């Protein structure tokens, strides 16, 4: 799929740089030409010799190199690629990009190009969650940065959480998706998915039975049509799709913040099963039995679908909500579309008898201003593909 494609690979300085060696191999076996650029910090983790041997090309490292400037120059180097990939994209590199700094070869290339950039972030979980990093990402997403990962897992530093660089094959899938022309190429679609977890105390929470399977399938189907997908997901039981920007969250309020940070978008699809309420008096330490009952006070969570639907400037052209109901599905979902102000509602019956909640199949009714359209029961992937194709007819 990548035959003849020219990839400029910028390798940042982090322990995940060792994965870039396998990434080069995977890209080249698919026909891509890889021109590698190492930051000075990256050269502490992988050697220019090993990178050059795998890429079959010279490695570029220095901004002020007389020979390189005379032969090609950093401006031409940055513009001769079909796609720029940063793997790993460290917190420092992301900060430089967001601030428009150009104090080394990598940051200068990124500032001097109009070629699209795909970043695979990799850093300590605390660095990833730091407000400064999240502010920088919000700026870069607004500038059109494409992302893949990070994943959640064990860190080299011994901590656990989001911040692991996507695996080489995940990055390759994102690269292939970029070059796959489809009706949604150049469009940005926001998808929410999974449940939210609302804490009772540090060890307990309120949740629902959503697996996130339908939202995940929908994000993948939109990606396959060429869209740039931002995937905001609660703690789902299915892994997120590759080739999309994954933003993990826990609570409804965190999901709203992530959605607002991901805008603008051409379409916003709210497939997440967001908790309507949160515990207002959540404990800061584990609650103990006291011989009596437990009294919990609840507060309403923000209504993410209604908030985005009511936006003036910046509202997506298409806003789609989901309605999981157990009775009077059509009546409740139709009323929900009007109450929330969204364009479409995808309704389904999740009563226990259907086996849909957490299962592999779905049977939905698409409700629009023109009326209701019943779809037959089918796999969640088939539902996703059909809905993605319908979305494409509106925003393509």
């Amino acid at each position: 799929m990548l035959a003849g494609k020219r990839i400029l690979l910028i390798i940042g300085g982090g322990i995940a740089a060792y994965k870039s060696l396998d990434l080069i191999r995977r890209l080249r076996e698919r026909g891509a030409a890889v021109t590698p650029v190492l930051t000075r910090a990256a050269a502490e983790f992988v050697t220019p010799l090993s990178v050059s041997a795998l890429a079959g090309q010279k490695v570029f490292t220095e901004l002020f190199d007389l020979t390189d400037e005379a032969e090609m120059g950093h401006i031409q180097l940055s513009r001769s690629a079909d796609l720029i990939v940063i793997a790993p994209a460290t917190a420092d590199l992301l900060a430089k990009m967001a601030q428009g700094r150009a104090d080394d070869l990598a940051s200068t290339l990124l500032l001097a190009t109009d070629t699209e950039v795909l970043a695979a972030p990799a850093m300590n979980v605390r660095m990833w969650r730091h407000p400064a990093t999240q502010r920088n990402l919000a700026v870069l997403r607004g500038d059109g940065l494409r992302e893949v990962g990070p994943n959640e897992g064990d860190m080299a530093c011994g901590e656990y959480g989001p911040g692991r660089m996507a695996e080489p094959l995940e990055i390759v899938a994102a690269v292939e998706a970029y070059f796959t022309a489809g009706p949604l190429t150049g469009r940005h679609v926001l998808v929410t998915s999974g449940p939210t977890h609302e804490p009772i105390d540090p060890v307990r929470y309120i949740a629902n039975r959503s697996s996130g399977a339908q939202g995940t399938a929908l994000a993948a189907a939109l990606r396959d049509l060429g869209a740039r997908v931002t995937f905001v997901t609660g703690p789902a039981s299915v892994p997120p799709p590759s080739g999309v920007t994954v933003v993990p969250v826990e609570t409804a309020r965190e999901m709203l913040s992530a959605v607002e940070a991901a805008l603008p978008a051409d379409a916003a699809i709210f497939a997440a099963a967001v908790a309507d309420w949160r515990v207002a008096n959540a404990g800061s330490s584990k609650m103990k039995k006291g011989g009596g009952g437990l009294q919990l006070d609840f507060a309403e969570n923000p209504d993410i679908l209604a908030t985005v639907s009511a936006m003036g400037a910046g509202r997506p052209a298409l806003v789609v909500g989901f309605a999981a109901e157990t009775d009077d599905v059509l009546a409740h979902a139709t009323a929900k579309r009007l109450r929330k102000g969204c364009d479409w509602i995808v309704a389904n019956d999740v009563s226990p008898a259907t086996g849909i909640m957490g299962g592999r199949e779905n049977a939905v009714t698409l409700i629009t201003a023109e009326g209701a359209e019943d779809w037959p029961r089918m796999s969640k992937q088939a539902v996703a593909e059909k809905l993605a194709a319908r979305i494409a007819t509106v925003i393509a």
Side-chain angles (χ1 to χ4, degrees), residues 176-194:
E176 289 177 333
Y178 170 77
F179 288 113
T180 302
L184 294 181
T185 299
R187 302 299 185 185
H188 176 211
V189 182
L190 167 67
V191 178
T192 69
S193 183

Side-chain angles (χ1 to χ4, degrees), residues 107-153:
S107 58
T108 301
L109 291 174
L110 291 165
L111 191 61
T113 188
D114 55 5
T115 302
E116 294 220 38
V117 179
L118 171 68
M123 64 197 73
N124 169 270
V125 59
R126 295 180 188 272
M127 295 173 72
W128 172 254
R129 288 176 170 161
H130 195 283
T133 300
Q134 294 304 312
R135 283 197 303 272
N136 291 334
L137 284 166
V139 170
L140 293 170
R141 288 165 183 158
D143 292 341
L145 178 73
R146 295 173 177 267
E147 300 166 70
V148 52
N151 295 337
E152 187 172 290

Side-chain angles (χ1 to χ4, degrees), residues 15-387:
I15 186 62
Y18 78 91
K19 292 183 180 180
S20 65
L21 301 177
D22 188 36
L23 175 59
I24 293 170
R25 183 171 67 87
R26 301 291 187 178
L27 290 170
R28 291 196 67 199
E29 70 186 13
R30 286 161 175 78
V34 180
T35 301
V37 173
L38 263 67
T39 65
R40 289 186 178 182
E44 299 292 328
F45 296 93
V46 292
T47 67
L49 180 60
S50 59
V51 173
S52 177
L54 286 166
Q57 295 198 41
K58 176 181 177 177
V59 175
F60 295 88
T61 58
E62 298 296 331
L63 177 60
F64 299 107
D65 185 300
L66 181 60
T67 301
D68 290 343
E69 287 300 296
E71 292 180 354
M72 176 178 263
H74 63 269
I75 299 295
Q76 181 59 31
L77 182 62
S78 70
R79 297 178 184 175
S80 61
D82 297 306
L83 179 67
I84 298 175
V85 177
I86 314 173
T90 61
D92 180 62
L93 266 174
L94 294 173
K96 287 181 177 180
M97 291 175 65
Q99 297 162 19
R101 293 171 56 192
D103 58 3
D104 63 1
L105 180 59
S107 58
T108 301
L109 291 174
L110 291 165
L111 191 61
T113 188
D114 55 5
T115 302
E116 294 220 38
V117 179
L118 171 68
M123 64 197 73
N124 169 270
V125 59
R126 295 180 188 272
M127 295 173 72
W128 172 254
R129 288 176 170 161
H130 195 283
T133 300
Q134 294 304 312
R135 283 197 303 272
N136 291 334
L137 284 166
V139 170
L140 293 170
R141 288 165 183 158
D143 292 341
L145 178 73
R146 295 173 177 267
E147 300 166 70
V148 52
N151 295 337
E152 187 172 290
D154 293 313
M155 305 283 178
C157 59
E159 295 188 275
Y160 181 94
R164 284 173 57 95
M165 189 174 93
E167 296 303 316
L169 286 177
E170 292 179 273
I171 301 173
V172 169
V175 172
E176 289 177 333
Y178 170 77
F179 288 113
T180 302
L184 294 181
T185 299
R187 302 299 185 185
H188 176 211
V189 182
L190 167 67
V191 178
T192 69
S193 183
T196 62
H197 287 180
E198 307 298 331
I200 297 172
D201 61 25
V203 297
R204 304 179 181 93
Y205 57 83
I206 296 172
N208 57 62
R209 300 180 189 276
S210 172
S211 66
Q214 188 64 81
T216 297
L218 180 56
L222 291 163
R223 173 207 64 199
D224 291 344
L225 293 181
R228 175 170 66 90
V229 179
T230 299
F231 186 64
V232 179
T233 177
S237 58
V238 297
S242 61
V244 305
T245 299
V246 180
V247 184
V249 298
E250 292 276 341
T251 69
R253 287 180 290 180
E254 289 176 354
M255 184 169 283
L256 175 60
S257 295
V259 164
E260 291 174 332
L263 295 174
D266 296 290
I269 320 300
F270 295 101
V274 182
D276 293 322
W277 298 279
R278 67 180 183 275
V279 178
N281 59 332
S284 58
S285 57
K286 183 180 178 182
M287 296 179 180
K288 301 291 186 180
K289 290 181 180 179
L294 176 64
Q295 181 68 43
L296 295 177
D297 296 325
F298 290 89
E300 275 197 29
N301 270 325
D303 192 321
I304 301 173
L305 175 59
T307 298
V308 174
S309 295
M311 286 181 172
R315 183 191 188 276
L318 180 65
V319 178
V320 181
F322 274 62
E325 304 289 350
T326 57
D327 55 79
D328 296 328
V329 175
L330 182 59
H332 286 311
T334 300
K336 180 176 181 177
R337 191 188 76 83
L338 297 174
R339 187 173 66 253
K340 305 289 186 178
C342 58
D343 302 299
W344 298 352
I345 282 284
V346 180
N348 59 358
D349 184 347
V350 295
S351 56
T354 67
I356 282 175
M357 181 65 87
R360 296 183 177 179
E361 293 185 329
N362 208 347
V364 308
T365 299
L366 178 63
I367 301 171
T368 70
E370 286 72 41
E373 178 183 324
D374 289 323
W375 292 1
R377 185 161 180 150
M378 62 185 88
S379 70
K380 289 183 176 178
Q381 180 179 345
V383 170
E385 291 171 353
K386 187 171 182 177
L387 183 57

